Amino acid sequence: MKRTLKQIADMLGIHPPEAAFHDTVIEGASINTRTLKSGNLFIPFRGEKVDGHQYVNQAFEKGAGASLWQEDAGAPPAGVPVLVVKDPELALQKLARVYRQQASFKVVAITGSNGKTTTKDMIAGILSSSFKVQKTEGNFNNQLGLPLTLLDVKEDTEVSVLEMGMSGFRQIAFLTELAQPEIAVITNIGESHLQDLGSREGIAKAKFEITEGLSEEGILFYYGDEPLLTDLVKSSKGFRTSSYGYGEDNDFSPKKIEMSEEGSRVYLNDGTDEWIDVPVLGKHNVLNALAAIKVALHLGMDTQSITQGFSHMKLTAMRMEKVKGAKGEIIINDAYNASPTSMRAAIAFAEEIKGQGRKILLLGDMLELGTEEEVFHREIGRELNPDKIDFVLTFGDRGQWIGEEALKQFPKGRVRTFGQNKKELISILQDLTAKGDLLLVKGSRGMQLEEVVEALK
C-alpha cells in the first residue's frame, strides 16, 4: 500500500491529519520498531505486557512515515504526523480491508492443519516464474499479521499468497472476509488445536471457514482423500470446488511418483506427458505440490513454467530442511512444528528413503493435542519399525511416552529418552552420528529442537 496520510484518513473514515501532513506518503505498516521500514505507518498495538504508544517517538526516529494513536492514550506527540483512532488494531484491520477492495491483485489463501507454510512457499515460488508475487512472511498469518501482510503488498503485485492460521472457531472466517480470496486451498485436517476445537470434525469446520470469503467466481482446492472435507464440500454452495490427492477419484492426482534424496518427480493425470520435478523431501510434500500445481494451472501456467518455478522456490526454514552435519551426516530439520499426522509423514520419509548409513530419529513433544495427547504419543512409539529405523531418541516429557512404547519392540540400546536434558541429548548424538547417517529431527516448535541441529552442524 502506498497512500498519502489524507487518503489513509479517508479510508478509515476519521478526521484528517494536520494540513501540513496531508501529502505525507505512507508505504506499508508495522507494529514493531525493530522491523519497521522507512515510510511505514506505525501501529501502537496494546499487548498484555507492552503498550506500543511508548514506542511512537522511537518509531519516528527510525523513519516511520506516520503513526496511529488511540484516543484514550493521552495527548499524542506534537509536530509529527499522527492519526487519532478509537482502536489501532481495529483501524489496522479496516485499513487492510479497504486497501484489499481497492487493489487489483488476486489473492490465494491457504489453510490446513499441516503443510500450509510449505504449500504457500510452493505456490509463491511457482507463480513467481510468470507473475509478480508477494507472500506471507514468517508466521504473519493471524488477525494482526495478515492485515500487515496485505498492507505490505505493493501496487503492481499480481498475486498475493496468504497463509491463514487459527486456534479457534471464527478466526479463519475473519481472515478470509478481510482478504477476499479468489482462490482458497485447504491442505488437510490433522490433530493440531484439538484442545481448543475438541475433535477433528471441529478442526475441519474451522478450516472450512476459509470458503466464506470466496465469491461465486472463486474456487476452493481441497485434499479430496479427507472424508471430513468431502462431506463439507457436498453441503456447500456459492463457490466452485476441485479436489486433489492420491485417490484416482480426485479431480487431480498423480499417475506416478518417483522419490529420491533430492525430492520427488510427479507424473500427472491432466493429459500431459511431462514429469514435474519437486525439489522437496517427503511423499507428504507431493500433496502440497499437487495443490500448488493445481493453483498454477488454474491461473493459466503450463508445466514447463511450473517446473521452472519449482527450481527457484525458497522454502521457510525447518520444514524438511536438509542440513549437513559436522561429520558428514545428513540432518533433516523438520522441527518447526509437529502433530501426529506430520510426525507420521516425516517418519515414513525416513523409513522409505534409501541411503548408505544408519537411520536415526530424534522425536520431541507434540503440543496442543488436548486430553488424548498421551494416546497420540504412544501410538507413534508403537508404530516405529526396528527393521527400518536404527536408533530412536526422544526429547521432552511427552516424548518419553514415544520412547516407552518403542522400547517394547526395539533391541536394547537402540532407544534413549532424555526428558528435558538437551545438553546430554546433544552430547549423545555427537558421539552416535557418523558420516552417511540420516538424522530426522521432528517436534513441536516449543521444543526448540533446532538448537540440536545447530550443535551438530
Side-chain angles (χ1 to χ4, degrees), residues 172 176 184 186 207-215 220 236 239:
I172 295 291
T176 189
I186 303 179
K207 299 295 184 184
F208 205 73
E209 291 172 8
I210 198 171
T211 62
E212 296 182 25
L214 289 173
S215 67
L220 168 69
S236 65
F239 53 89

Side-chain angles (χ1 to χ4, degrees), residues 324-343:
K324 187 174 182 179
K327 294 182 179 179
E329 69 270 40
I330 300 168
I331 304 171
I332 305 301
N333 182 359
D334 198 31
Y336 187 82
N337 217 333
S339 68
T341 298
S342 64
M343 183 79 79

Side-chain angles (χ1 to χ4, degrees), residues 158-263:
E158 295 174 283
V159 183
S160 179
V161 185
L162 304 178
E163 180 180 332
M164 295 183 177
M166 62 89 199
S167 58
F169 291 114
R170 306 311 299 165
Q171 293 176 3
I172 295 291
F174 172 80
L175 298 177
T176 189
E177 184 275 332
L178 198 69
Q180 294 292 302
E182 283 82 9
I183 301 171
V185 178
I186 303 179
T187 60
N188 60 20
I189 303 301
E191 302 84 7
S192 298
H193 307 303
L194 271 175
Q195 64 184 24
D196 299 304
L197 298 170
S199 66
R200 290 186 71 249
E201 289 79 7
I203 294 169
K205 182 180 179 182
K207 299 295 184 184
F208 205 73
E209 291 172 8
I210 198 171
T211 62
E212 296 182 25
L214 289 173
S215 67
E216 290 185 0
E217 293 75 34
I219 188 166
L220 168 69
F221 296 125
Y222 67 97
Y223 177 43
D225 296 338
E226 171 54 72
L228 292 175
L229 287 177
T230 56
D231 288 345
L232 286 167
V233 166
K234 288 176 183 177
S235 61
S236 65
K237 295 180 180 179
F239 53 89
R240 295 174 292 161
T241 64
S242 185
S243 64
Y244 66 89
Y246 296 129
E248 293 182 0
D249 55 344
N250 285 292
D251 299 318
F252 195 63
S253 62
K255 286 183 179 179
K256 300 176 184 177
I257 301 172
E258 293 182 357
M259 299 182 62
S260 71
E261 290 186 14
E262 302 304 321

Side-chain angles (χ1 to χ4, degrees), residues 405-421:
E405 296 301 323
L407 278 166
K408 297 175 182 178
Q409 50 201 355
F410 276 70
K412 186 177 180 180
R414 287 172 54 184
V415 178
R416 293 283 302 271
T417 59
F418 290 87
Q420 298 291 338
N421 194 335

Side-chain angles (χ1 to χ4, degrees), residues 323-396:
V323 179
K324 187 174 182 179
K327 294 182 179 179
E329 69 270 40
I330 300 168
I331 304 171
I332 305 301
N333 182 359
D334 198 31
Y336 187 82
N337 217 333
S339 68
T341 298
S342 64
M343 183 79 79
R344 287 186 175 97
I347 292 169
F349 161 77
E351 291 178 343
E352 295 168 7
I353 199 71
K354 295 180 180 179
Q356 298 178 348
R358 300 167 301 172
K359 296 178 180 180
I360 305 168
L361 303 182
L362 168 54
L363 307 178
D365 290 3
M366 299 179 289
L367 305 178
E368 299 182 344
L369 294 181
T371 58
E372 297 298 306
E373 63 177 5
E374 182 173 352
V375 173
F376 286 122
H377 284 84
R378 290 192 180 278
E379 285 177 350
I380 293 294
R382 285 195 294 270
E383 293 167 10
L384 297 176
N385 188 340
D387 295 328
K388 296 182 178 181
I389 299 297
D390 294 287
F391 294 95
V392 177
L393 292 81
T394 70
F395 178 74

Side-chain angles (χ1 to χ4, degrees), residues 71 74 80 86 97 119 133 153 165 183 185 191 202 204 221 225 258 266 292 320 333 352 396 420 427 436 449 454:
E71 62 183 16
V80 290
K86 289 184 177 180
R97 183 181 294 108
T119 304
V133 178
V153 177
I183 301 171
V185 178
E191 302 84 7
F221 296 125
D225 296 338
E258 293 182 357
V266 183
M320 295 299 286
N333 182 359
E352 295 168 7
Q420 298 291 338
S427 177
L449 290 178
E454 287 298 315

Side-chain angles (χ1 to χ4, degrees), residues 360-364 392-396 416-433 439 441 447-449 451-453 455-456:
I360 305 168
L361 303 182
L362 168 54
L363 307 178
V392 177
L393 292 81
T394 70
F395 178 74
R416 293 283 302 271
T417 59
F418 290 87
Q420 298 291 338
N421 194 335
K422 193 174 290 182
K423 184 176 181 181
E424 181 186 6
L425 167 63
I426 291 171
S427 177
I428 292 296
L429 274 171
Q430 287 173 332
D431 291 337
L432 177 63
T433 54
L439 170 63
V441 180
M447 306 311 294
Q448 298 182 331
L449 290 178
E451 295 175 354
V452 178
V453 176
L456 296 176

